[in-house]
Amino acid sequence: ETGKAYVKGLFFCGLTIAIPQWVYTQGWSINHTILIGILIGVIGFEWIVGGRLATKSTSRNKTSEVAIDSLIRDIIIMGICAMGLGLDQLFATGSVIYTVITAAFIYHNFYSLMANIAVLGWDKHFPMWLLNWLDNEIAAKKEKYFPVKNKEDK
């Protein structure tokens, strides 16, 4: 038990040291711009790869309604990030809330992007072996874009 507590203490201490100083400061900085730029870049790549996946898909869910819903979703994501910055200002928490929210959206969208790349068969061009945690997402995407009809559903 003491060993586990020691390891946890070292982990959280290291995490505290690893958090950049700008996260604790109030106001907008170049680092905020870089973080939101990374999010916009990942979303943009996801749109490009997702569009390519949709054109190759055997599913008939290729309506403009899906694209409009995706656009609305991405606008809401940006709005939530902006609200995070507002909450940071309100609670005087530096940029902690903004950073956590924006990083979470970057992670989520990057996860989806990499799964789309794998489903397209482009994984040979990317170090997918680093991303073994994609298995469930890849299976879900394959089922969404390339559904296999059940033999019993004749």
Side-chain angles (χ1 to χ4, degrees), residues 118-129:
V119 171
L120 278 172
W122 297 352
D123 51 329
K124 61 185 168 262
H125 305 291
F126 296 88
M128 299 303 282
W129 55 270

Side-chain angles (χ1 to χ4, degrees), residues 23-26 84 87-98:
V23 173
Y24 300 114
T25 59
Q26 290 288 122
L87 289 170
D88 278 326
Q89 295 297 319
L90 183 66
F91 297 124
T93 53
S95 298
V96 173
I97 298 170
Y98 167 81

Side-chain angles (χ1 to χ4, degrees), residues 1-9:
E1 288 299 316
T2 305
K4 288 181 183 179
Y6 181 72
V7 171
K8 284 182 185 178

Side-chain angles (χ1 to χ4, degrees), residues 75-86:
I75 290 170
I76 289 171
I77 286 172
M78 295 299 164
I80 291 171
C81 291
M83 287 189 309
L85 191 62

Side-chain angles (χ1 to χ4, degrees), residues 60-113:
R60 295 290 169 217
N61 199 11
K62 301 178 189 177
T63 64
S64 60
E65 183 178 309
V66 173
I68 291 169
D69 286 347
S70 296
L71 180 62
I72 291 169
R73 176 203 64 212
D74 293 339
I75 290 170
I76 289 171
I77 286 172
M78 295 299 164
I80 291 171
C81 291
M83 287 189 309
L85 191 62
L87 289 170
D88 278 326
Q89 295 297 319
L90 183 66
F91 297 124
T93 53
S95 298
V96 173
I97 298 170
Y98 167 81
T99 302
V100 168
I101 289 172
T102 306
F105 281 124
I106 290 170
Y107 173 81
H108 176 76
N109 285 285
F110 183 75
Y111 185 81
S112 177
L113 169 67

